[in-house]
Amino acid sequence: MSDYGQDLVFGSFVTPSADNPGRAVGVAVLAEQVGLDLVTFQDHPYQSAFLDTWTLLSFVAARTNRVHLAANVTNLPLRPPAVLARSVASLDLLSGGRVSLGLGAGAFWDAIEAMGGRRLTPGQGVRALEEAIEIVRQLWDVETRGGVRVDGEFYRVVGAKRGPAPAHAVPIWLGAYKPRMLQLTGRRADGWLPTLGYLQPGDLTKGNAIIDDAAQQAGRSPQDVRRLLNIAGEFSTVGRGPLNGPAEQWAEELAELALEEGVGTFILGSDDPDDLRRFAGEVAPAVRELVAAERDRGAASERTPEPEPEPVAAPAVRASRATATGGAFAVVPTPDDGVRRSEQQVWDESARPTGPAPDPERTYTPQEQATGAHLVQIHDGLRAELAQIHDLIEQVAAGEIDAGAARSHINTMTMRQNRWTLGVYCESYCRIVTTHHTIEDQSLFPRLRARDPRLGPVVDRLEQEHHVIHDVLEGVDRALVAYVGSPDGIAELRAAVDLLTDALLSHLSYEERELVEPLARLGIA
């Protein structure tokens, strides 16, 4: 088992096709908006069907705000290392520290030679790569006095001035497969970046062993070398093979690669927007959860039990709204503050039925109260997201957001790009609310009605309000369409979101008021 304990990173591997430049940019921007951490492009300067990778990286950096960027991997024989070092540092400074440097020793030597590059043997390629790493690192090292001097077999730098220094410690990742390249990775690099499709069973384990041994011999820790992996697969409803099945199967397989093979970064090779959404929204969170749970179990098993301290009297502390404790019921529903943003009303709040009053003598275990606490936590997440939408609307209205377009055809005018960014965010939120209500209607409410028929009127009313909120969400969707297409749509969108806020916050408070205690009393998990 080779879990290096690295934080998990999820990225995309986008095709830099020249026949539709906007699509490559749009897919990269979408990767940021769906929550991926990294966007990469292959680098084949001799391929006339591809955009130049470093030009594309610069363009995407200007259209994004958060996502990290890298070539996967840079073709060193056609990128002089001294110039490359300054290109990387410059883009890192311009992007606010979001660039990583993937490097390869070279392949497709006929094409490289046709572009003016020097043909190298595999052994020469490894030596040239090590010289290049030394040059790059020296040029970034502005703290050392004097010029850069490397008199190598393949590259010579004789007194070049150092700098500029990048905005952050740019990691160098090597695309390596053979032993000499793996040893170089362990000695000098910050990461190993192979492609799963090029590996045979057992290659990850063997490669890790070579890297670890080389790192230790160089006085480094194996944990200093991040393990990255390019992957590809297909999402389907039924499992048909490795990385070919539902998101749950993907999560289990990637979690195993993280825990058993030490992979800390997964980079999905796909230009399909739906693949990226599922990878970011379904697979990545599940992998993180599975890996965190396994690491917690491992840490707990290694922990030496400590003697329990003597009980000490302490003053009573009021439980937070979403805390599950034993004894009296302590989960406090969120009160409705009565604030309304919209003059429109979608229902008569005074006509809401109430359920049976709780037994004041009854006590509850922490397990019984946990479900109600969890419901409040879910609702708090919806409330926080709703507040972010309001903030985003005001920033867009003021022209303060400079986000890239998520679709290739929206590539001009900052406000048009901002409108699309807001549209993606609101659309995602509406989908989350609808999913939450569907789960309640199909699972939670029928169980409550069956366990305690006295809750029937309350459950009926909550279901009715779900239908009303669905109509309100459709109004938000219509306002989004109008907003993206018209410069005058901000007032309509603000009004639609105000109405959603009034309805949803009122509904969530009512639901908590009526259900958190019955969930505990009836033992519904």
Side-chain angles (χ1 to χ4, degrees):
M1 181 173 179
S2 299
D3 179 12
Y4 299 97
Q6 298 167 344
D7 293 338
L8 296 183
V9 173
F10 294 86
S12 62
F13 193 3
V14 182
T15 306
S17 297
D19 61 349
N20 190 352
R23 176 173 174 79
V25 175
V27 171
V29 173
L30 176 65
E32 174 176 80
Q33 293 191 331
V34 298
L36 291 176
D37 311 295
L38 174 68
V39 170
T40 69
F41 300 97
Q42 55 191 291
D43 181 36
H44 297 288
Y46 41 76
Q47 175 55 269
S48 61
F50 286 169
L51 297 165
D52 173 70
T53 296
W54 277 97
T55 306
L56 177 59
L57 284 169
S58 300
F59 194 86
V60 170
R63 300 286 294 275
T64 55
N65 298 291
R66 178 193 56 81
V67 74
H68 284 241
L69 304 162
N72 191 348
V73 289
T74 304
N75 188 287
L76 179 63
L78 294 175
R79 308 278 188 188
V83 177
L84 178 63
R86 293 209 164 119
S87 298
V88 173
S90 298
L91 186 55
D92 196 56
L93 289 165
L94 291 167
S95 66
R98 294 190 287 129
V99 177
S100 300
L101 176 56
L103 280 177
F108 307 105
W109 290 103
D110 289 343
I112 290 172
E113 199 169 35
M115 288 283 288
R118 176 182 174 183
R119 182 186 292 269
L120 301 177
T121 66
Q124 290 174 327
V126 176
R127 298 198 299 276
L129 181 55
E130 186 158 15
E131 290 178 8
I133 292 173
E134 179 64 25
I135 292 169
V136 168
R137 289 225 165 101
Q138 284 201 37
L139 278 163
W140 289 346
D141 179 14
V142 296
E143 300 299 323
T144 300
R145 300 184 62 180
V148 175
R149 295 187 178 276
V150 175
D151 188 9
E153 179 183 358
F154 304 95
Y155 300 111
R156 294 182 68 246
V157 179
V158 287
K161 293 185 180 297
R162 300 174 185 269
H168 82 305
V170 174
I172 296 177
W173 304 330
L174 301 189
Y177 296 92
K178 300 298 184 181
R180 281 178 293 189
M181 279 288 287
L182 293 168
Q183 290 166 358
L184 175 60
T185 303
R187 289 197 310 272
R188 300 298 307 275
D190 305 298
W192 176 32
L193 177 52
T195 296
L196 183 60
Y198 296 161
L199 298 173
Q200 298 298 318
D203 281 355
L204 281 174
T205 301
K206 295 174 184 176
N208 279 331
I210 294 173
I211 291 171
D212 292 354
D213 183 61
Q216 290 168 342
Q217 289 187 30
R220 309 176 68 204
S221 168
Q223 281 80 4
D224 293 339
V225 183
R226 173 166 285 273
R227 316 304 158 111
L228 307 95
L229 189 64
N230 293 320
I231 61 172
E234 182 177 343
F235 288 105
S236 56
T237 55
V238 180
R240 298 186 176 92
L243 295 182
N244 189 336
E248 295 82 359
Q249 175 187 326
W250 279 61
E252 292 174 358
E253 293 177 8
L254 297 188
E256 183 177 351
L257 286 169
L259 294 166
E260 299 296 331
E261 303 291 354
V263 179
T265 298
F266 296 97
I267 304 172
L268 177 62
S270 177
D271 301 324
D272 187 331
D274 289 335
D275 284 351
L276 296 183
R277 291 189 184 97
R278 297 195 69 177
F279 188 58
E282 300 176 39
V283 176
V287 175
R288 288 190 170 104
E289 184 175 347
L290 290 170
V291 171
E294 187 61 33
R295 286 174 176 172
D296 286 345
R297 278 193 288 270
S301 65
E302 295 174 3
R303 206 174 290 133
T304 302
E306 297 182 0
E308 294 188 6
E310 293 294 325
V312 178
V317 178
R318 184 178 183 273
S320 65
R321 290 191 302 108
T323 300
T325 60
F329 194 73
V331 182
V332 182
T334 306
D336 186 343
D337 61 11
V339 175
R340 298 293 180 264
R341 296 170 174 263
S342 174
E343 296 180 356
Q344 184 179 352
Q345 293 184 348
V346 293
W347 50 52
D348 181 3
E349 295 178 3
S350 65
R352 283 169 167 163
T354 59
D359 179 358
E361 303 299 323
R362 193 189 194 286
T363 60
Y364 305 82
T365 67
Q367 291 76 19
E368 289 174 328
Q369 298 194 58
T371 302
H374 185 54
L375 180 66
V376 175
Q377 290 165 355
I378 292 173
H379 287 180
D380 283 347
L382 294 176
R383 294 182 184 100
E385 290 280 327
L386 192 57
Q388 290 184 33
I389 289 178
H390 279 285
D391 182 61
L392 190 57
I393 287 174
E394 298 311 317
Q395 290 184 58
V396 172
E400 297 174 353
I401 299 176
D402 185 17
R407 292 282 190 257
S408 62
H409 66 276
I410 303 179
N411 56 13
T412 58
M413 297 176 58
T414 299
M415 283 304 298
R416 290 190 68 202
Q417 297 169 6
N418 291 342
R419 288 200 293 276
W420 184 256
T421 302
L422 175 62
V424 170
Y425 194 99
C426 291
E427 180 187 12
S428 174
Y429 181 77
C430 292
R431 190 162 52 246
I432 291 169
V433 172
T434 301
T435 301
H436 173 60
H437 285 174
T438 300
I439 292 171
E440 290 185 332
D441 291 342
Q442 296 181 357
S443 177
L444 180 62
F445 290 173
R447 296 168 69 190
L448 285 166
R449 188 184 283 110
R451 295 282 187 89
D452 188 347
R454 295 176 298 172
L455 291 170
V458 172
V459 171
D460 290 343
R461 172 67 186 225
L462 289 170
E463 288 179 338
Q464 292 167 11
E465 293 190 3
H466 284 180
H467 292 297
V468 174
I469 291 173
H470 176 73
D471 293 338
V472 175
L473 291 172
E474 288 189 338
V476 173
D477 183 65
R478 290 191 297 271
L480 284 170
V481 173
Y483 175 65
V484 173
S486 167
D488 301 322
I490 190 69
E492 181 181 351
L493 178 58
R494 185 185 279 118
V497 175
D498 282 348
L499 183 59
L500 173 63
T501 301
D502 289 351
L504 188 58
L505 294 184
S506 171
H507 171 78
L508 296 178
S509 293
Y510 172 54
E511 182 175 295
E512 290 177 20
R513 186 189 79 193
E514 297 299 327
L515 296 189
V516 290
E517 190 278 334
L519 288 171
R521 172 168 50 83
L522 301 174
I524 295 178

